[in-house]
Amino acid sequence: NALDEPSWLELLASRLRVAIARRKPLLDSANDACRLCFSEADELPGLIADKYGDLVVLQLLTKGLLHDVVRDTCVRVLREELAPAAILERPDPRIRELEGLPAPSLDPLWLADLKKPVAATEFHLNGLAFHYDANAGQKTGAFLDQRANYAAARDWARRLGCSRSRSGGRALDVCCYQGGFALHLAEVCRQVTGIDVSRASLEVAERNLQSNRSRIPAEVDWIEADVFAILRDWSQAGESFDAIVLDPPAFAKTKRAVEGALRG
């Protein structure tokens, strides 16, 4: 049966609270960031909510959600459940283009202190600190769903004995973005190299490295390059590493891209 607006907003609030309750156990002193709402997986198609430290970022990716009453309901629930410093809305440019969605306002949806607008903060994953700017970066800014994979990569490198390797415990993070895998590897390896085509991402990665220097003694270097070209060159030169993480962007976002993706 069709729902009237009050019933729909009540259902929205209820499902968002359930989603947040599922994720709250993931938050502790070493992890103050996570995805709070996973769209269809939480029975709220098109609704993404990510927590970065004291900021919450909302994405509304379907036309049916683009109403002020929906935003107001989300803001109320997020405030009551999390008490953030700010709640911001951030578009996904590709989805917006495909769905014909208008650009959202750049103004915060809510601020705890109207005199102190905030769009940047620091968040933590597995005890490591990362810089966050709501007006930059991919997706909502970072890849919070990689937290377990970051830890797994670090633990596998430790099991491989990278810190004791005769070759120096060298690790490589390909398509490193802002250094998530690289910094976790650097906790247990002696030397880590991160490669990405984006200079802006590597600048954030370096900031993240400096913020964690007290627990990262490794030598870390960043290379701005086309990863396909540099990997070919290194392969021909006989370059080797003890651990390699490959985390490229999606190769096939549409069916038409499958053939090119297979080549990649």
Side-chain angles (χ1 to χ4, degrees), residues 116-156:
K116 296 181 179 179
V118 58
T121 190
E122 189 174 85
F123 67 95
H124 300 81
L125 294 177
N126 303 315
L128 291 173
F130 294 89
H131 292 277
Y132 175 71
D133 184 345
N135 297 315
Q138 302 176 33
K139 304 296 183 180
T140 62
F143 294 90
L144 300 179
D145 54 350
Q146 291 282 31
R147 186 181 88 179
N149 291 330
Y150 291 155
R154 177 193 60 201
D155 293 345
W156 272 106

Side-chain angles (χ1 to χ4, degrees), residues 161-189:
C162 284
S163 62
R164 301 184 300 276
S165 169
R166 284 177 295 177
S167 62
R170 300 182 70 205
L172 176 65
D173 182 6
V174 179
C175 300
C176 65
Y177 187 46
Q178 296 177 352
F181 280 107
L183 297 184
H184 281 79
L185 291 170
E187 289 190 279
V188 296
C189 296

